[in-house]
Amino acid sequence: MKVLTAHQMKEIDRLTSERFLISPEILMERAGLSVVLALQSELKDLSKKSFLVLCGHGNNGGDGLVVARILHQYTDEVVTVVVGDKTKMSSETLANFKRLKAIGGIIKFLNEDLSLDELVQMVKNYDVVIDALLGIGIKGSVQGILAQVIDVVNLYARYVVSVDLPSGLDTDTGKVLGKAIKADLTVTFGLPKLCHILFPGRELTGILKVADIGIPKILLNADEIKRNIVTKDLVLSSLPKRIKDSHKGSYGKVLVIAGSKNYPGAAVLTSIAAYRVGSGYVQLVTCKPADEIALVREPSLIVRGFEQEFFTPSCLPTVFEVAKNSKVVVLGPGLTQSDQTREFVLQLLKELDLPMIIDADGLNNIAENLDVLFQRKGPTLLTPHFGEFARLVKLPIEAVKYNYSLVEEFSKKYGVITLLKGATTIISNGESTYFNLMGNTSLAKAGSGDVLAGMIGGLAAQGLDLLSAAFCGAYLHGLAAEMYNLKEGTMLTSELLDLIPKAMEEVCKVG
Ligand SMILES: NC(=O)C1=CN([C@@H]2O[C@H](COP(=O)(O)OP(=O)(O)OC[C@H]3O[C@@H](n4cnc5c(N)ncnc54)[C@H](OP(=O)(O)O)[C@@H]3O)[C@@H](O)[C@H]2O)[C@@H](O)CC1
Ligand SMILES: [K+]
């Protein structure tokens, strides 16, 4: 499913009207109706509820005025409060103001007909607050009376439904512009916006419903919209097919270069994960004692263990030898950082032309030598978490968190694919970007990234390009965590490995 910026949505709005002759007024009517239908499906009998509809003077407020009018069909317990200036309403919003008045709807203007204290009482007393204060037209920080109203709603409302997006969110980043509504339910139109999937906006959105308001499909499916949410259907259509008449070589050989005396477990987790997603042959090159641990844990691994404590350039000839019959390389988990390991990693990146997934200390070891990426001869995927990405781009962590534009620019500049791990994971090759929403806090645990890197390697070995392997891996990894049926956070990373088959089965289930 595609996901939009405010600018893209406005452009779609313009084309809907100009090219397809569907006026903003029609869209506004359908937007309002879709909110009421969503309310009905969540709350069932609307006649038994009371509604307080808060409207700004922009078109988001116009949608709210439609919502109020339609709610009057179900109950008389509807009051609309405008927090704004009637003279600033667009023609469509004003028309809906008049329609609501015409059916006898009660409309009050805050600070004229109603004080803030009176509004506090109403917010406390009504069952549902509809937030139609600000939508995609928000500019700058929310201050003054509007900020006070948002505080009141967040403090006292029992159930909040946001129209299009929680008021106060930056549509394109999901950041709070001063103050933002915390919604239980958000109904958006046509397609999700970035604020619904990026934190903190994702949290403030509550349940998200995407309503069809009659925007022509050709506009919503346009190839120029390059940002997507990873869905089950996308993963299913991208996964490798299993053929009856096949052998281990049919499913690709993965070479995992990982582990050190300090971190032997990382190498084991990565290697087994590659098998779990269906790869036919996994070779692990590592340092002692990971080789022995790996074989005890999974005897089907093909293991080469160096006597030394960490990788050095002296390991290169062996690695190149093993790489000869590999299809993809996963480099990095548990390597540790040292001058010699850095030299080993840089040489490998320059000389090995296989597709490569670089994770963890693989990334930390190139942070001061990013230009090495220009010398790569094969496709490259980097899988940093926020801290690692911050190190790569030399910015504070706060500046890189959920910063999809930065991920896109970085990927384009260095000719790589980047997967930025987070509660929403961002994957981009600089042209197309994918957002994975699957997963939960069980993944916030040592070793979870090692498993992801192995899964991506295993999928790439089976023929997926690195971008598809990355978004499929991220989705399956998240889904596996969601399938753990005991208390969230108590899962061991080794148990995550054992949930991968369940996640793969779930994706392949019809319906
Ligand atoms: N696009 C579509 O396809 C469809 C769009 N639809 C709906 O239209 C919505 C977009 O409407 P929009 O463009 O009128 O902007 P909107 O979000 O109401 O806010 C702008 C108003 O808020 C004000 N304002 C801004 N920033 C502020 C701040 N920081 N603090 C305080 N005030 C601030 C600003 O006032 P100003 O400062 O300019 O006086 C301006 O009047 C969209 O979200 C959806 O709900 C549907 O009808 C169906 C089809
Ligand atoms: K809103």
Side-chain angles (χ1 to χ4, degrees), residues 60 131-135 162-168:
N60 193 251
D131 153 37
L133 294 166
L134 293 165
S162 284
V163 175
D164 207 7
L165 49 118
S167 298

Side-chain angles (χ1 to χ4, degrees), residues 9 13 57-60 63 88 134-137 139-141 164:
M9 188 65 212
D13 189 26
H57 57 229
N59 283 355
N60 193 251
D63 296 347
K88 290 188 176 170
L134 293 165
I136 60 171
K139 284 184 253 30
S141 173
D164 207 7

Side-chain angles (χ1 to χ4, degrees), residues 50 85 118 162 186 202 212 296 304 316 457 466 482:
S50 56
D85 182 347
E118 286 167 315
S162 284
T186 297
R202 186 172 159 195
D212 172 9
V296 171
R304 292 285 275 271
L316 284 166
L466 279 187
E482 288 193 13

